[in-house]
PDB file of all heavy atoms in Angstrom:
ATOM      1  N   GLY A 473      45.260  40.623  -0.322  1.00 96.00           N
ATOM      2  CA  GLY A 473      43.841  40.485  -0.775  1.00 96.00           C
ATOM      3  C   GLY A 473      43.742  39.355  -1.779  1.00 96.00           C
ATOM      4  O   GLY A 473      42.700  38.556  -1.691  1.00 96.00           O
ATOM      5  N   PHE A 474      44.591  39.259  -2.789  1.00 97.00           N
ATOM      6  CA  PHE A 474      44.548  38.123  -3.699  1.00 97.00           C
ATOM      7  C   PHE A 474      44.699  36.776  -2.963  1.00 97.00           C
ATOM      8  O   PHE A 474      43.893  35.854  -3.200  1.00 97.00           O
ATOM      9  CB  PHE A 474      45.771  38.316  -4.548  1.00 97.00           C
ATOM     10  CG  PHE A 474      45.893  37.168  -5.560  1.00 97.00           C
ATOM     11  CD1 PHE A 474      45.439  37.160  -6.913  1.00 97.00           C
ATOM     12  CD2 PHE A 474      46.856  36.156  -5.238  1.00 97.00           C
ATOM     13  CE1 PHE A 474      45.618  36.206  -7.768  1.00 97.00           C
ATOM     14  CE2 PHE A 474      47.079  35.088  -6.090  1.00 97.00           C
ATOM     15  CZ  PHE A 474      46.516  35.095  -7.377  1.00 97.00           C
ATOM     16  N   LEU A 475      45.673  36.720  -2.003  1.00 97.00           N
ATOM     17  CA  LEU A 475      45.949  35.531  -1.231  1.00 97.00           C
ATOM     18  C   LEU A 475      44.702  35.040  -0.454  1.00 97.00           C
ATOM     19  O   LEU A 475      44.460  33.964  -0.229  1.00 97.00           O
ATOM     20  CB  LEU A 475      47.199  35.578  -0.361  1.00 97.00           C
ATOM     21  CG  LEU A 475      48.517  35.846  -1.230  1.00 97.00           C
ATOM     22  CD1 LEU A 475      49.676  36.101  -0.309  1.00 97.00           C
ATOM     23  CD2 LEU A 475      48.731  34.725  -2.165  1.00 97.00           C
ATOM     24  N   ARG A 476      44.064  36.051   0.184  1.00 95.00           N
ATOM     25  CA  ARG A 476      42.910  35.684   1.044  1.00 95.00           C
ATOM     26  C   ARG A 476      41.841  34.889   0.189  1.00 95.00           C
ATOM     27  O   ARG A 476      41.197  34.064   0.694  1.00 95.00           O
ATOM     28  CB  ARG A 476      42.296  36.876   1.636  1.00 95.00           C
ATOM     29  CG  ARG A 476      43.081  37.497   2.867  1.00 95.00           C
ATOM     30  CD  ARG A 476      42.234  38.556   3.519  1.00 95.00           C
ATOM     31  NE  ARG A 476      43.019  39.180   4.624  1.00 95.00           N
ATOM     32  CZ  ARG A 476      43.830  40.208   4.538  1.00 95.00           C
ATOM     33  NH1 ARG A 476      43.912  40.808   3.318  1.00 95.00           N
ATOM     34  NH2 ARG A 476      44.523  40.533   5.542  1.00 95.00           N
ATOM     35  N   LEU A 477      41.695  35.246  -1.062  1.00 95.00           N
ATOM     36  CA  LEU A 477      40.785  34.623  -1.939  1.00 95.00           C
ATOM     37  C   LEU A 477      41.291  33.344  -2.551  1.00 95.00           C
ATOM     38  O   LEU A 477      40.671  32.360  -2.684  1.00 95.00           O
ATOM     39  CB  LEU A 477      40.226  35.593  -3.029  1.00 95.00           C
ATOM     40  CG  LEU A 477      39.468  36.716  -2.634  1.00 95.00           C
ATOM     41  CD1 LEU A 477      39.133  37.604  -3.828  1.00 95.00           C
ATOM     42  CD2 LEU A 477      38.168  36.332  -2.011  1.00 95.00           C
ATOM     43  N   ARG A 478      42.520  33.436  -3.033  1.00 96.00           N
ATOM     44  CA  ARG A 478      43.088  32.302  -3.815  1.00 96.00           C
ATOM     45  C   ARG A 478      43.788  31.248  -2.974  1.00 96.00           C
ATOM     46  O   ARG A 478      44.157  30.171  -3.562  1.00 96.00           O
ATOM     47  CB  ARG A 478      43.995  32.861  -4.912  1.00 96.00           C
ATOM     48  CG  ARG A 478      43.361  33.930  -5.853  1.00 96.00           C
ATOM     49  CD  ARG A 478      42.143  33.256  -6.468  1.00 96.00           C
ATOM     50  NE  ARG A 478      41.486  34.263  -7.377  1.00 96.00           N
ATOM     51  CZ  ARG A 478      40.417  34.012  -7.992  1.00 96.00           C
ATOM     52  NH1 ARG A 478      39.843  32.825  -8.025  1.00 96.00           N
ATOM     53  NH2 ARG A 478      39.857  34.960  -8.743  1.00 96.00           N
ATOM     54  N   LEU A 479      43.946  31.451  -1.671  1.00 95.00           N
ATOM     55  CA  LEU A 479      44.515  30.389  -0.848  1.00 95.00           C
ATOM     56  C   LEU A 479      43.359  29.747  -0.135  1.00 95.00           C
ATOM     57  O   LEU A 479      43.439  28.651   0.660  1.00 95.00           O
ATOM     58  CB  LEU A 479      45.371  30.920   0.232  1.00 95.00           C
ATOM     59  CG  LEU A 479      46.829  31.289  -0.236  1.00 95.00           C
ATOM     60  CD1 LEU A 479      47.589  31.965   0.876  1.00 95.00           C
ATOM     61  CD2 LEU A 479      47.641  30.057  -0.783  1.00 95.00           C
ATOM     62  N   HIS A 480      42.113  30.220  -0.221  1.00 92.00           N
ATOM     63  CA  HIS A 480      40.915  29.658   0.456  1.00 92.00           C
ATOM     64  C   HIS A 480      40.626  28.316  -0.161  1.00 92.00           C
ATOM     65  O   HIS A 480      40.887  27.972  -1.349  1.00 92.00           O
ATOM     66  CB  HIS A 480      39.649  30.607   0.176  1.00 92.00           C
ATOM     67  CG  HIS A 480      38.628  30.343   1.061  1.00 92.00           C
ATOM     68  ND1 HIS A 480      37.676  29.335   0.780  1.00 92.00           N
ATOM     69  CD2 HIS A 480      38.161  30.927   2.159  1.00 92.00           C
ATOM     70  CE1 HIS A 480      36.729  29.332   1.715  1.00 92.00           C
ATOM     71  NE2 HIS A 480      37.034  30.235   2.589  1.00 92.00           N
ATOM     72  N   PRO A 481      40.212  27.386   0.694  1.00 88.00           N
ATOM     73  CA  PRO A 481      39.869  26.052   0.292  1.00 88.00           C
ATOM     74  C   PRO A 481      38.889  25.940  -0.869  1.00 88.00           C
ATOM     75  O   PRO A 481      38.928  25.013  -1.563  1.00 88.00           O
ATOM     76  CB  PRO A 481      39.349  25.330   1.547  1.00 88.00           C
ATOM     77  CG  PRO A 481      40.005  26.085   2.637  1.00 88.00           C
ATOM     78  CD  PRO A 481      40.072  27.479   2.272  1.00 88.00           C
ATOM     79  N   HIS A 482      38.076  26.975  -1.027  1.00 88.00           N
ATOM     80  CA  HIS A 482      37.110  26.888  -2.112  1.00 88.00           C
ATOM     81  C   HIS A 482      37.730  27.383  -3.423  1.00 88.00           C
ATOM     82  O   HIS A 482      36.981  27.331  -4.480  1.00 88.00           O
ATOM     83  CB  HIS A 482      35.871  27.747  -1.785  1.00 88.00           C
ATOM     84  CG  HIS A 482      35.093  27.218  -0.656  1.00 88.00           C
ATOM     85  ND1 HIS A 482      34.069  28.011  -0.045  1.00 88.00           N
ATOM     86  CD2 HIS A 482      34.988  26.013  -0.028  1.00 88.00           C
ATOM     87  CE1 HIS A 482      33.531  27.152   0.998  1.00 88.00           C
ATOM     88  NE2 HIS A 482      34.053  26.029   0.916  1.00 88.00           N
ATOM     89  N   ALA A 483      38.929  27.975  -3.389  1.00 92.00           N
ATOM     90  CA  ALA A 483      39.489  28.295  -4.701  1.00 92.00           C
ATOM     91  C   ALA A 483      39.961  27.135  -5.476  1.00 92.00           C
ATOM     92  O   ALA A 483      40.181  26.039  -4.951  1.00 92.00           O
ATOM     93  CB  ALA A 483      40.707  29.250  -4.388  1.00 92.00           C
ATOM     94  N   GLN A 484      40.056  27.316  -6.787  1.00 94.00           N
ATOM     95  CA  GLN A 484      40.523  26.261  -7.701  1.00 94.00           C
ATOM     96  C   GLN A 484      41.941  25.862  -7.305  1.00 94.00           C
ATOM     97  O   GLN A 484      42.779  26.650  -7.107  1.00 94.00           O
ATOM     98  CB  GLN A 484      40.426  26.636  -9.106  1.00 94.00           C
ATOM     99  CG  GLN A 484      40.602  25.491 -10.112  1.00 94.00           C
ATOM    100  CD  GLN A 484      40.281  25.779 -11.521  1.00 94.00           C
ATOM    101  OE1 GLN A 484      39.610  26.772 -11.700  1.00 94.00           O
ATOM    102  NE2 GLN A 484      40.664  24.942 -12.478  1.00 94.00           N
ATOM    103  N   HIS A 485      42.101  24.514  -7.290  1.00 94.00           N
ATOM    104  CA  HIS A 485      43.371  23.871  -6.925  1.00 94.00           C
ATOM    105  C   HIS A 485      44.593  24.572  -7.640  1.00 94.00           C
ATOM    106  O   HIS A 485      45.582  24.918  -7.043  1.00 94.00           O
ATOM    107  CB  HIS A 485      43.321  22.470  -7.259  1.00 94.00           C
ATOM    108  CG  HIS A 485      44.719  21.656  -7.145  1.00 94.00           C
ATOM    109  ND1 HIS A 485      45.369  21.513  -6.031  1.00 94.00           N
ATOM    110  CD2 HIS A 485      45.498  21.315  -8.188  1.00 94.00           C
ATOM    111  CE1 HIS A 485      46.649  20.924  -6.280  1.00 94.00           C
ATOM    112  NE2 HIS A 485      46.637  20.797  -7.583  1.00 94.00           N
ATOM    113  N   GLU A 486      44.373  24.720  -8.905  1.00 97.00           N
ATOM    114  CA  GLU A 486      45.608  25.234  -9.761  1.00 97.00           C
ATOM    115  C   GLU A 486      46.001  26.609  -9.298  1.00 97.00           C
ATOM    116  O   GLU A 486      47.241  26.829  -9.209  1.00 97.00           O
ATOM    117  CB  GLU A 486      45.204  25.145 -11.263  1.00 97.00           C
ATOM    118  CG  GLU A 486      45.222  23.781 -11.874  1.00 97.00           C
ATOM    119  CD  GLU A 486      44.072  22.931 -11.537  1.00 97.00           C
ATOM    120  OE1 GLU A 486      43.049  23.517 -10.926  1.00 97.00           O
ATOM    121  OE2 GLU A 486      43.973  21.794 -11.765  1.00 97.00           O
ATOM    122  N   ILE A 487      45.080  27.527  -9.148  1.00 97.00           N
ATOM    123  CA  ILE A 487      45.511  28.861  -8.738  1.00 97.00           C
ATOM    124  C   ILE A 487      46.000  28.867  -7.253  1.00 97.00           C
ATOM    125  O   ILE A 487      46.858  29.725  -6.976  1.00 97.00           O
ATOM    126  CB  ILE A 487      44.440  29.837  -8.955  1.00 97.00           C
ATOM    127  CG1 ILE A 487      44.998  31.300  -9.066  1.00 97.00           C
ATOM    128  CG2 ILE A 487      43.308  29.896  -7.891  1.00 97.00           C
ATOM    129  CD1 ILE A 487      44.090  32.368  -9.693  1.00 97.00           C
ATOM    130  N   ARG A 488      45.531  27.937  -6.514  1.00 96.00           N
ATOM    131  CA  ARG A 488      46.063  27.830  -5.056  1.00 96.00           C
ATOM    132  C   ARG A 488      47.482  27.451  -5.098  1.00 96.00           C
ATOM    133  O   ARG A 488      48.285  27.996  -4.198  1.00 96.00           O
ATOM    134  CB  ARG A 488      45.260  26.816  -4.306  1.00 96.00           C
ATOM    135  CG  ARG A 488      43.809  27.296  -3.857  1.00 96.00           C
ATOM    136  CD  ARG A 488      43.024  26.188  -3.300  1.00 96.00           C
ATOM    137  NE  ARG A 488      43.610  25.811  -1.951  1.00 96.00           N
ATOM    138  CZ  ARG A 488      43.179  24.759  -1.363  1.00 96.00           C
ATOM    139  NH1 ARG A 488      42.126  24.001  -1.766  1.00 96.00           N
ATOM    140  NH2 ARG A 488      43.657  24.391  -0.253  1.00 96.00           N
ATOM    141  N   VAL A 489      47.973  26.750  -6.071  1.00 97.00           N
ATOM    142  CA  VAL A 489      49.357  26.305  -6.169  1.00 97.00           C
ATOM    143  C   VAL A 489      50.158  27.651  -6.361  1.00 97.00           C
ATOM    144  O   VAL A 489      51.256  27.913  -5.788  1.00 97.00           O
ATOM    145  CB  VAL A 489      49.622  25.377  -7.223  1.00 97.00           C
ATOM    146  CG1 VAL A 489      51.138  25.200  -7.555  1.00 97.00           C
ATOM    147  CG2 VAL A 489      48.944  23.989  -6.916  1.00 97.00           C
ATOM    148  N   TYR A 490      49.711  28.557  -7.186  1.00 98.00           N
ATOM    149  CA  TYR A 490      50.441  29.806  -7.516  1.00 98.00           C
ATOM    150  C   TYR A 490      50.343  30.690  -6.294  1.00 98.00           C
ATOM    151  O   TYR A 490      51.377  31.384  -6.017  1.00 98.00           O
ATOM    152  CB  TYR A 490      49.885  30.507  -8.796  1.00 98.00           C
ATOM    153  CG  TYR A 490      50.402  29.669 -10.058  1.00 98.00           C
ATOM    154  CD1 TYR A 490      49.533  28.690 -10.558  1.00 98.00           C
ATOM    155  CD2 TYR A 490      51.536  30.078 -10.671  1.00 98.00           C
ATOM    156  CE1 TYR A 490      49.927  28.018 -11.783  1.00 98.00           C
ATOM    157  CE2 TYR A 490      51.953  29.439 -11.810  1.00 98.00           C
ATOM    158  CZ  TYR A 490      51.071  28.369 -12.426  1.00 98.00           C
ATOM    159  OH  TYR A 490      51.506  27.769 -13.548  1.00 98.00           O
ATOM    160  N   ALA A 491      49.242  30.746  -5.659  1.00 98.00           N
ATOM    161  CA  ALA A 491      49.078  31.615  -4.546  1.00 98.00           C
ATOM    162  C   ALA A 491      50.061  31.184  -3.304  1.00 98.00           C
ATOM    163  O   ALA A 491      50.744  32.094  -2.682  1.00 98.00           O
ATOM    164  CB  ALA A 491      47.635  31.634  -4.002  1.00 98.00           C
TER     165      ALA A 491
END
Side-chain angles (χ1 to χ4, degrees):
F474 174 93
L475 296 176
R476 283 190 181 93
L477 291 176
R478 301 307 180 178
L479 285 173
H480 194 278
H482 291 167
Q484 186 166 347
H485 164 75
E486 285 77 11
I487 201 166
R488 287 173 64 187
V489 170
Y490 285 89

